[in-house]
Amino acid sequence: IAANTSDDNTNISIAPNPSTGNTIFITRQPLYNTTLTVLNIIGKVMQIGTYEKINQSIELPAITTPGIYFLKVENENIKKTLRFVVH
């Protein structure tokens, strides 16, 4: 899994990073008809969801264990993978 890869010129990032909770902020708004996939360090899908509209933040209830994760952001215009850390 490559981190911070993109087929577009968007400025999507994750904050806070590292995170201590299960809410992350995606500092580009809004995102429409977007699929978010959270994978752990070995590539196991931890959470997946498709959202009509994402404003600023997203809840990640499946992420309870500290570690390194990847967030795949995909829609019609964006294909980006971001790395984040949970403490």
Side-chain angles (χ1 to χ4, degrees):
I1 298 173
N4 296 320
T5 61
S6 179
D7 293 338
D8 66 325
N9 293 321
T10 59
N11 290 319
I12 297 174
S13 62
I14 295 175
N17 193 9
S19 174
T20 56
N22 64 355
T23 300
I24 61 170
F25 293 88
I26 302 173
T27 57
R28 180 184 185 269
Q29 60 179 337
L31 296 173
Y32 294 97
N33 300 316
T34 303
T35 299
L36 299 179
T37 307
V38 178
L39 303 118
N40 67 10
I41 192 73
I42 61 171
K44 178 181 176 188
V45 174
M46 304 299 292
Q47 181 176 329
I48 190 168
T50 301
Y51 304 86
E52 281 186 34
K53 183 178 179 183
I54 301 169
N55 284 319
Q56 287 183 305
S57 66
I58 191 77
E59 294 285 326
L60 301 175
I63 309 305
T64 57
T65 305
I68 298 171
Y69 296 90
F70 296 93
L71 176 67
K72 287 177 59 177
V73 180
E74 298 178 277
N75 68 19
E76 194 173 281
N77 302 311
I78 300 167
K79 290 187 187 322
K80 189 164 189 168
T81 302
L82 301 154
R83 180 182 168 272
F84 68 101
V85 176
V86 174
H87 283 285

